């Protein structure tokens, strides 16, 4: 093994933010993020699920698309305020936020897996032994492209469905139980 060889042997659970960690606001069947802290509600069971996953030595990394910033309908400071609150309140290792829209051609906007690959390098994560939990097709596809097993929390949004998630669950807590019983 050469000098500088990175050992990637940690396992992670990648988590979408809105609809997984905190309640998404539903507007005409579509999910929209809270824009300020007084709209933020952490979902039931999330703290318990994260604590159990952390106790089992999983890295917990939130990967979130926030395109409303690029679209001009939300401000970066509002997103950061919510992220800072989540980091301070929950046992999370990192929050990776994409502020771009499709036209920006970044590699961090899900379904692209750039944020997962970057996290893998920074933290030494074995992506094939890791998981992605999300409530939209973009989350599931990003996880699949990174080689993770995927959990789809199905709220029945009126939008494109994900293609072949490994598991369909009702909450992060349900996903945690499946992960920790060894699948
Ligand atoms: Mg979501
Ligand atoms: Zn991006």
């Amino acid at each position: 093994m050469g000098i500088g060889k990175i050992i990637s042997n940690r396992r992670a659970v990648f988590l979408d933010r809105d609809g997984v960690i905190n309640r998404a606001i539903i507007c005409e069947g579509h999910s929209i993020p809270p824009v300020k802290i007084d709209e933020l509600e952490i979902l039931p069971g999330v703290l318990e699920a994260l604590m159990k996953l952390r106790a089992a030595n999983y890295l917990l990394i939130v990967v979130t698309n926030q395109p409303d910033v690029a679209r001009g309908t939300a401000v970066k400071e509002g997103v950061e305020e919510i992220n800072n609150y989540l980091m301070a309140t929950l046992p999370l290792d990192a929050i990776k936020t994409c502020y771009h829209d499709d036209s920006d051609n970044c590699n961090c906007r899900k379904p692209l897996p750039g944020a997962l690959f970057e996290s893998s390098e920074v933290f030494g994560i074995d992506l094939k032994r890791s998981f992605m939990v999300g409530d939209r097709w973009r989350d599931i596809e990003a996880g699949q492209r990174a080689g993770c097993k995927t959990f789809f929390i199905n709220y029945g949004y009126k939008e494109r469905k994900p293609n072949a998630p490994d598991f369909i669950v009702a909450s992060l807590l349900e996903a945690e139980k499946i992960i920790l019983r060894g699948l």
Side-chain angles (χ1 to χ4, degrees):
M1 195 181 294
I3 291 168
K5 168 77 177 163
I6 296 166
I7 299 168
S8 295
N9 60 4
R10 294 212 58 191
R11 301 176 86 174
V13 181
F14 295 100
L15 306 140
D16 175 46
R17 195 190 80 175
D18 304 307
V20 175
I21 300 292
N22 55 275
R23 195 179 295 283
I25 297 157
I26 306 300
C27 184
E28 296 174 352
H30 297 278
S31 150
I32 56 174
V35 295
K36 44 188 174 20
I37 202 109
D38 61 6
E39 292 177 350
L40 184 72
E41 179 192 349
I42 294 172
L43 286 163
V46 163
L47 178 61
E48 179 189 343
L50 295 177
M51 287 175 67
K52 286 183 174 165
L53 289 166
R54 170 164 280 195
N57 213 25
Y58 281 91
L59 288 161
L60 302 171
I61 299 170
V62 174
V63 178
T64 177
N65 285 354
Q66 297 294 334
D68 290 348
V69 173
R71 293 167 188 166
T73 56
V75 294
K76 199 170 183 176
E77 290 71 25
V79 176
E80 287 173 347
E81 185 186 21
I82 288 172
N83 289 352
N84 291 341
Y85 177 84
L86 294 174
M87 283 296 290
T89 308
L90 299 170
L92 299 170
D93 294 286
I95 299 180
K96 311 277 290 177
T97 306
C98 171
Y99 289 107
H100 309 112
D101 203 349
D102 290 326
S103 59
D104 295 310
N105 293 314
C106 68
N107 66 12
C108 52
R109 178 162 160 75
K110 295 172 288 183
L112 294 181
L116 283 73
F117 284 131
E118 189 188 309
S119 299
S120 170
E121 285 180 24
V122 170
F123 290 97
I125 295 166
D126 181 353
L127 291 167
K128 296 219 173 328
R129 295 170 62 238
S130 295
F131 304 91
M132 172 82 209
V133 185
D135 67 339
R136 304 183 78 176
W137 71 269
R138 289 173 179 277
D139 308 317
I140 301 310
E141 188 168 320
Q144 290 167 334
R145 288 192 192 195
C148 299
K149 283 222 164 32
T150 57
F151 286 87
F152 176 52
I153 301 179
N154 187 7
Y155 294 106
Y157 300 142
K158 291 180 198 158
E159 62 180 21
R160 175 175 164 181
K161 300 287 177 243
N163 182 34
D166 292 288
F167 297 92
I168 298 174
V169 294
S171 67
L172 178 59
L173 193 61
E174 190 182 343
E176 169 267 310
K177 290 182 197 310
I178 294 170
I179 291 169
L180 292 188
R181 77 167 185 240
L183 304 175

